[in-house]
Amino acid sequence: MDLMYASTRDADVKATASQAILKGLSDDGGLFVPERIPALDVSLQDLAGMTYQETAYTVMKQFLTDFTEQELKDCIQAAYDSKFDTEEIAPLVRADGVYFLELFHGATIAFKDMALSILPHLMTVSAKKNHVTNEIVILTATSGDTGKAALAGFAGVEGTKIIVFYPKNGVSPIQEKQMVTQKGANTCVAGIHGNFDQAQTGVKQMFADKELARELAAHGYQFSSANSINIGRLVPQIVYYVYAYARLLAKGEIAQGEQINVTVPTGNFGNILAAYYAKHMGLPIGKLVCASNENKVLYDFFATGTYNKNREFMLTSSPSMDILISSNLERLIYHIAGNNAKENAAYMKKLAEDGTYSITAEMMAALDSFYGNYASEQETAQTIRDFYEKTGYVADTHTAVAAAVCRKYQAETKDDAKMVIASTASPFKFTRSVMDAVRPGNDAQSDFELADELSRLSGVPVPQAVEEIRTAPVLHREECEAGDMPLVVRRFLGIN
Ligand SMILES: *Cc1c(COP(=O)(O)O)cnc(C)c1O
């Protein structure tokens, strides 16, 4: 019997894993969730002897039950290969008594590579499985990180095309350079004269545009999404928590069955939800520490049971966590309401209409494995400096938010279980903020000069992803008004 996926907003909507991956979002606006969370079917001791790829197969086969062994193994081999700069794929590095799970060794040096390097393969297999003969066109709006990770994942993947829109003047110079130098005839990148919200709105309108969908179909295309609400992004993220535990066990850092805690720097709530699923598969995880930056909507939620997005949006040095609507939290709400789509749909309706909702005391009680806190900008910079001065280890800004919150948790609770911190980006991706924290006064230097200095300070070579773009030719020069995004799509696909 296949594990089926249900919509978080309508109990009658059911899909297989491959159908859920193809669709991305349910038509009712809900997210696809597994009807039950499968248990790990091997011992922790066995896991301790596995490679990353073997662990990935062991975990993912439990969730993607309509994939054959060969299909899933092919996807895993195609994703977790020499695109990663370390054979371990996700190394665990100890510094000052905590373990950094480095998820930034892929093509774009941020953790989104962990899922976006496999999603294109899962999607093309899903298309075949469901007799979709159209080519899949991925449409993405990005504020910086997701765009490049999705481009790198889908570039050159047969049967797919990818189109990315970004705000022309709203991303960092390194982020823009990463995108406009992307190779691959199936890639298209365009800067819009507008902000991220306009790019996002434009993409959503195209997804909803029936006439455009008809034109696409006539030319053998259909849209899909690489957004983090796709279950095909969530499942691959469960793997590295299982892998981290197995590595700790293999290295003798923990005893078999010993509980560990994890801290996750959180924005859209995808990464920490994957840790929650890992725990519910039977992995011995005690606390799930949810770390926010000054956009602390989740901290307030865990403290009070009220989610309230009606507040000022803060721009911080950890921009990938600057979010007021954490999309994947909807999956947790559904689960703690007892897998109740009706109740969840009512909360989401309140969120859409009033920007706020409050959960019941019973649901609050079901959140007892979570701890939420946040780090200010000043605490984040201080944490980067402290770790560097004490251990020589340089963390990026997002990881530093997590490290700061981890320290708050440990000081408050005296819980001394081993702590794994999800390390979500290379410090070389946010070089300026990191260097300003370690050694202030860098205004005169370019981002590339600062990368060289950071390399000298940390003893870590400048990653290939940064080296590449220093001299790489610009391949995408397209710019457009926000209202003209469909024109860019039609032109790229040869539809007139
Ligand atoms: C996307 C991102 C996050 C947030 O992850 P979510 O799954 O959205 O909670 C944290 N750090 C970095 C570097 C990211 O790119």
Side-chain angles (χ1 to χ4, degrees):
M1 263 291 280
D2 275 332
L3 174 62
M4 296 299 285
Y5 288 77
S7 165
T8 51
R9 297 192 192 177
D10 183 347
D12 293 332
V13 174
K14 297 277 154 69
T16 60
S18 65
Q19 289 165 346
I21 288 169
L22 273 178
K23 278 194 85 85
L25 202 66
S26 176
D27 291 334
D28 50 48
L31 278 54
F32 287 109
V33 279
E35 286 198 302
R36 58 184 170 76
I37 299 176
L40 282 168
D41 65 351
V42 297
S43 72
L44 298 172
Q45 203 58 52
D46 285 344
L47 284 165
M50 289 187 193
T51 61
Y52 191 88
Q53 293 81 354
E54 288 163 349
T55 312
Y57 177 69
T58 304
V59 172
M60 291 176 68
K61 74 168 174 22
Q62 301 285 84
F63 284 92
L64 310 182
T65 57
D66 65 334
F67 283 59
T68 66
E69 175 171 353
Q70 198 56 48
E71 285 169 343
L72 191 50
K73 284 187 171 167
D74 287 347
C75 289
I76 289 166
Q77 291 313 325
Y80 304 115
D81 61 5
S82 58
K83 287 191 288 299
F84 287 76
D85 68 9
T86 163
E87 251 175 59
E88 286 181 276
I89 308 295
L92 205 52
V93 177
R94 188 181 168 139
D96 198 28
V98 293
Y99 300 86
F100 290 96
L101 177 62
E102 295 188 346
L103 304 172
F104 55 75
H105 289 271
T108 76
I109 57 176
F111 100 99
K112 295 193 171 60
D113 290 328
M114 300 303 297
L116 279 166
S117 49
I118 194 164
L119 181 68
H121 305 288
L122 298 176
M123 211 171 255
T124 49
V125 170
S126 298
K128 276 200 201 99
K129 213 175 258 311
N130 291 282
H131 312 291
V132 171
T133 49
N134 287 336
E135 211 170 313
I136 307 286
V137 179
I138 302 293
L139 262 197
T140 310
T142 183
S143 57
D145 275 353
T146 301
K148 178 61 187 184
L151 282 165
F154 281 92
V157 174
E158 215 173 300
T160 72
K161 286 192 171 21
I162 173 158
I163 305 172
V164 170
F165 292 98
Y166 71 95
K168 179 67 192 160
N169 297 311
V171 301
S172 82
I174 288 202
Q175 284 176 321
E176 177 170 42
K177 191 99 196 268
Q178 275 193 310
M179 289 190 278
V180 298
T181 57
Q182 177 64 48
K183 293 182 200 141
N186 68 334
T187 66
C188 170
V189 180
I192 71 151
H193 301 152
N195 59 27
F196 169 65
D197 277 340
Q198 290 170 286
Q200 173 109 309
T201 304
V203 163
K204 281 191 182 155
Q205 283 170 351
M206 283 190 275
F207 273 119
D209 186 338
K210 296 244 158 53
E211 167 57 23
L212 186 58
R214 203 189 51 73
E215 285 175 42
L216 248 67
H219 287 78
Y221 294 117
Q222 70 186 58
F223 283 141
S224 189
S225 160
N227 199 280
S228 84
I229 41 85
N230 194 313
I231 194 78
R233 276 188 63 179
L234 198 52
V235 170
Q237 295 180 183
I238 301 168
V239 174
Y240 46 73
Y241 291 104
V242 176
Y243 182 71
Y245 189 93
R247 295 319 301 154
L248 285 173
L249 188 56
K251 291 181 191 176
E253 302 279 328
I254 53 171
Q256 187 161 322
E258 183 176 333
Q259 283 211 335
I260 63 165
N261 296 325
V262 300
T263 304
V264 186
T266 298
N268 232 347
F269 210 76
N271 202 357
I272 194 164
L273 189 73
Y276 173 82
Y277 282 163
K279 177 179 166 75
H280 285 270
M281 288 186 87
L283 195 71
I285 294 177
K287 279 286 181 213
L288 301 156
V289 179
C290 177
S292 302
N293 64 22
E294 289 179 353
N295 294 293
K296 58 184 183 61
V297 63
L298 287 167
Y299 163 70
D300 293 336
F301 170 69
F302 285 118
T304 64
T306 295
Y307 192 93
N308 189 347
K309 76 162 180 81
N310 303 319
R311 61 180 72 204
E312 195 190 337
F313 178 81
M314 313 287 234
L315 284 171
T316 74
S317 59
S318 44
S320 303
M321 297 159 66
D322 290 344
I323 275 176
L324 292 182
I325 301 184
S326 263
S327 315
N328 278 293
L329 185 68
E330 175 168 350
R331 289 189 163 106
L332 183 65
I333 298 294
Y334 170 87
H335 290 311
I336 61 173
N339 292 350
N340 188 326
K342 220 177 186 159
E343 218 171 298
N344 173 67
Y347 285 124
M348 294 308 130
K349 187 156 177 277
K350 277 211 79 210
L351 180 65
E353 286 168 2
D354 310 334
T356 181
Y357 61 86
S358 299
I359 61 172
T360 63
E362 202 183 356
M363 287 167 73
M364 269 298 269
L367 290 177
D368 62 344
S369 56
F370 285 91
Y371 168 91
N373 213 324
Y374 72 103
S376 68
E377 286 292 274
Q378 206 250 325
E379 288 168 329
T380 304
Q382 184 68 42
T383 302
I384 295 174
R385 188 158 54 243
D386 284 350
F387 266 91
Y388 173 64
E389 284 172 359
K390 208 163 169 188
T391 69
Y393 189 78
V394 181
D396 102 287
T397 45
H398 303 74
T399 308
V401 166
V405 167
C406 154
R407 291 306 190 212
K408 288 186 185 183
Y409 170 74
Q410 291 174 324
E412 244 171 63
T413 63
K414 309 282 181 265
D415 181 347
D416 63 355
K418 301 278 190 319
M419 180 68 85
V420 168
I421 294 178
S423 184
T424 50
S426 159
F428 289 91
K429 189 144 198 178
F430 300 94
T431 325
R432 190 166 293 279
S433 302
V434 169
M435 282 299 290
D436 284 346
V438 172
R439 192 205 61 187
N442 304 298
D443 291 355
Q445 285 160 296
S446 75
D447 284 22
F448 288 113
E449 286 166 337
L450 287 180
D452 291 331
E453 297 239 357
L454 178 57
S455 176
R456 276 193 288 278
L457 278 174
S458 62
V460 176
V462 177
Q464 186 59 25
V466 176
E467 285 298 352
E468 258 169 27
I469 57 169
R470 260 188 229 258
T471 54
V474 172
L475 301 172
H476 303 272
R477 297 181 187 279
E478 186 125 37
E479 290 181 32
C480 71
E481 301 307 318
D484 291 338
M485 291 164 60
L487 283 180
V488 173
V489 170
R490 283 194 176 88
R491 197 176 318 135
F492 179 61
L493 298 177
I495 300 171
N496 292 306

